Amino acid sequence: MAGSRLEKFGTVFTRVRDLMRSGVVKQSDKPIWYDVYKAFPPKKDPLYVRPVAKIYGKKEEAVPDIFYREDEIRAKFYEVYGTGPRAFDLSKSNFVSTCQRFVEKYMELESWGELEKQSLFEETGKALLAEGLVLRRRSGPVVASETRDPVLGMKLTDMLAELQTDAPGETPTPGEETPTQAPVTPQ
Amino acid sequence: MGVVVQWKLLTRDLMRTTHSMDFNYQSYFFDLQWEGTARASMAAGVLTKGLCGLCQPRIVAAGYSCSGPLYATATAVKTLPLQTDSTAVTDKIQNLPLETSDFFRLSELFSLKDLFDARVHLGHKKGCRHRLMEPYLFGNRLDQDIIDLDQTMEHLQSALNFTAHIAYRGGVILFVSRRRQFGHLVESTAGDCGEYAHTRYWQGGLLTNAPIQYGPGVRLPDLIVFLSTLNNVFQQHVGVRDAAKMNIPTVGVVDSNCNPSLVTYPVPGNDDTPAAMELYCRLFKMTINRAKDKRRQMELLQGLSPAGLTPGSS
């Protein structure tokens, strides 16, 4: 059966339609899917899109970032407490993690409107402690700063200066002896 | 006399090569009564004998070869006489479903919550994103792309609808996926609905050079369903381009790193999670089975009462 192998021009449907219109493909040889496509076409024509050369420089973001108002609370929570005491169980779809409980409590306290922003964080921690959820503050920063080996900090010029200051009188003595050591030649 | 041989084959383990000549394929015929036109008079070809993936052209002998333990079940032998008034009725059967928008009631098979629970909305990271997938993305959450499930619902509905209509008309559907993790799943899905699968290495001329590789008069698939449009090196599967070349429509699950331009009915969704793949396979299987059952029902009704054909017959 005749066909058109030009996948870069037009869609599958337009090629077959034009082949039939021109008489190359007989009505009896119509493919099974032709009528179905005609009745239920896809939302977007499956045209071939040529690859565009990469655009360098700043281009606007086509896909927006997803951020929620609770993300601020979550960020602060993770910074202060690290990951919560309980691990995430992703197999359950209705699982509520420690962080999520914290966020919900925070939103609840905020909605009451009694406390100020600064103390809200502390109050949430206390409220959860009252409910039985213990949160331990993280001791140090997440990435501990590495202690540099003190040997690497020594500088040669400093060492020499130390030697100079430690023994100021002793250093010239080897120099004095040499001129006095005049060889006495017997005549 | 027009014959089209139809097999139900599955591709199996490539290492076990047994030339099982138990089947005398010429004894299995399927007269397509509703295709009592010139199309059916094209020479028969065993289509999927070549779709085991490992078929070397050298092994092709006497028009049949297998590089693995393929098992085939023959379709029934039907010899119905050609009648002029019956062609009008069969045309009616053929075209009746096209009048309703959701003739097979496929929207009740899945819901947005099902898609969400199966993690269909999870895409790849921002760096892997394909430029052409940007319209289908809902947003980017901490550097991971999230696919818009509202759009996915519409696309999935239209893709399943198309598949159902093709299956209703007796079209050959080929499932393709080069993800080794889901190879067995795809093959068993195809077997369960009586269609074909190709989850192995795709030889270059499989579609474009079919008459030479598999004998003259091979019947090519009428629809190719890609459960992952990428191959193992993260490039677009050759089958997508070849199907467009051979004027075969495609349905494909496109992830955020895939190119949806050549796929006829793209379905933006996750193709990496087992839950998502199982959902797709289940949906396609149910669609095709529904469509085929509906067809059998319509034909039975036609046999009983040629005049009375109600669209609401279930």
Side-chain angles (χ1 to χ4, degrees), chain A:
Chain A
M1 200 176 83
S4 165
R5 294 200 179 189
L6 306 167
E7 86 271 13
K8 297 188 183 166
F9 296 98
T11 70
V12 184
F13 180 72
T14 53
R15 287 196 294 274
V16 173
R17 183 198 65 201
D18 295 340
L19 283 171
M20 281 173 42
R21 207 188 277 171
S22 63
V24 178
V25 172
K26 308 283 182 295
Q27 279 294 329
S28 49
D29 291 338
K30 187 164 69 171
I32 292 180
W33 53 267
Y34 187 82
D35 289 325
V36 188
Y37 189 111
K38 212 158 146 190
F40 308 110
K43 283 185 192 30
K44 185 180 165 306
D45 278 339
L47 283 164
Y48 174 74
V49 177
R50 285 176 195 281
V52 171
K54 196 167 163 62
I55 309 162
Y56 288 100
K58 219 161 169 55
K59 51 183 166 188
E60 56 177 57
E61 184 60 56
V63 178
D65 283 326
I66 301 174
F67 283 120
Y68 300 100
R69 211 176 286 264
E70 293 92 336
D71 284 344
E72 291 173 3
I73 311 166
R74 288 187 189 124
K76 220 170 155 201
F77 174 86
Y78 284 124
E79 198 187 323
V80 171
Y81 296 113
T83 51
R86 204 159 45 130
F88 277 77
D89 184 7
L90 292 174
S91 54
K92 291 192 280 190
S93 56
N94 57 348
F95 180 76
V96 177
S97 65
T98 321
C99 179
Q100 188 58 26
R101 273 186 72 180
F102 188 92
V103 164
E104 283 168 5
K105 197 73 189 174
Y106 190 101
M107 303 300 282
E108 200 186 317
L109 291 177
E110 198 178 358
S111 66
W112 289 351
E114 297 164 359
L115 301 159
E116 293 165 2
K117 278 254 164 52
Q118 292 90 330
S119 53
L120 210 51
F121 197 80
E122 305 294 332
E123 290 302 316
T124 328
K126 285 182 207 166
L128 281 176
L129 194 63
E131 280 179 15
L133 182 70
V134 181
L135 291 167
R136 286 178 58 208
R137 270 176 188 271
R138 212 169 47 200
S139 49
V142 179
V143 181
S145 54
E146 289 173 12
T147 48
R148 209 170 137 80
D149 197 351
V151 175
L152 294 169
M154 286 164 60
K155 279 167 94 173
L156 197 60
T157 43
D158 294 341
M159 284 161 65
L160 286 173
E162 264 183 36
L163 280 173
Q164 295 269 341
T165 49
D166 280 347
E170 291 163 13
T171 39
T173 43
E176 258 184 271
E177 283 175 7
T178 38
T180 53
Q181 279 179 2
V184 179
T185 53
Q187 283 183 353

Side-chain angles (χ1 to χ4, degrees), chain B residues 38-85:
Chain B
R39 235 182 100 232
S41 65
M42 282 198 298
V46 183
L47 161 68
T48 47
K49 65 178 171 73
L51 292 181
C52 50
L54 240 207
C55 238
Q56 315 283 330
R58 299 185 286 283
I59 306 177
V60 173
Y64 181 71
S65 76
C66 57
S67 315
L70 311 164
Y71 54 89
T73 46
T75 48
V77 175
K78 269 205 260 180
T79 45
L80 294 161
L82 282 170
Q83 297 157 8
T84 43
D85 57 336

Side-chain angles (χ1 to χ4, degrees), chain A residues 1-8 11-12 15-16 19 28-33 35-37 39-52 61-68 71 74 90 93, chain B residues 35 37-39 95 97-98 100-101 126 129 131-132 134 136-142 145-146 154-155 158 161-162 165-166 169-171 208 219 222 241 244-249 261-265:
Chain A
M1 200 176 83
S4 165
R5 294 200 179 189
L6 306 167
E7 86 271 13
K8 297 188 183 166
T11 70
V12 184
R15 287 196 294 274
V16 173
L19 283 171
S28 49
D29 291 338
K30 187 164 69 171
I32 292 180
W33 53 267
D35 289 325
V36 188
Y37 189 111
F40 308 110
K43 283 185 192 30
K44 185 180 165 306
D45 278 339
L47 283 164
Y48 174 74
V49 177
R50 285 176 195 281
V52 171
E61 184 60 56
V63 178
D65 283 326
I66 301 174
F67 283 120
Y68 300 100
D71 284 344
R74 288 187 189 124
L90 292 174
S93 56
Chain B
E35 285 190 336
T37 54
R39 235 182 100 232
N95 295 327
L98 297 180
T100 346
S101 68
K126 189 159 96 175
R129 189 194 301 161
R131 181 177 63 92
L132 297 169
E134 279 163 11
Y136 301 116
L137 296 179
F138 178 74
N140 184 288
R141 172 70 169 164
L142 298 176
D145 287 333
I146 305 294
E154 296 168 358
H155 283 89
S158 103
N161 186 44
F162 189 80
H165 281 274
I166 299 284
R169 287 159 173 249
T208 45
R219 183 175 164 186
D222 301 300
R241 194 206 64 190
K245 268 190 188 288
M246 304 307 291
N247 297 331
I248 299 171
S261 60
L262 272 181
V263 181
T264 323
Y265 291 86

Side-chain angles (χ1 to χ4, degrees), chain B residues 66-119:
Chain B
C66 57
S67 315
L70 311 164
Y71 54 89
T73 46
T75 48
V77 175
K78 269 205 260 180
T79 45
L80 294 161
L82 282 170
Q83 297 157 8
T84 43
D85 57 336
S86 66
T87 47
V89 181
T90 45
D91 276 344
K92 196 171 172 189
I93 301 180
Q94 198 96 321
N95 295 327
L96 188 67
L98 297 180
E99 291 155 23
T100 346
S101 68
D102 194 9
F103 185 75
F104 303 99
R105 296 203 303 266
L106 298 166
S107 48
E108 61 191 35
L109 286 178
F110 61 97
S111 68
L112 203 142
K113 186 159 189 321
D114 293 337
L115 293 186
F116 184 82
D117 288 336
R119 272 104 71 185

Side-chain angles (χ1 to χ4, degrees), chain B residues 5 7 20-29 46 62 64 72 74:
Chain B
V5 181
W7 293 98
S20 52
M21 298 305 276
D22 312 329
F23 317 111
N24 186 5
Y25 73 101
Q26 285 174 341
S27 62
Y28 296 126
F29 293 111
V46 183
Y64 181 71

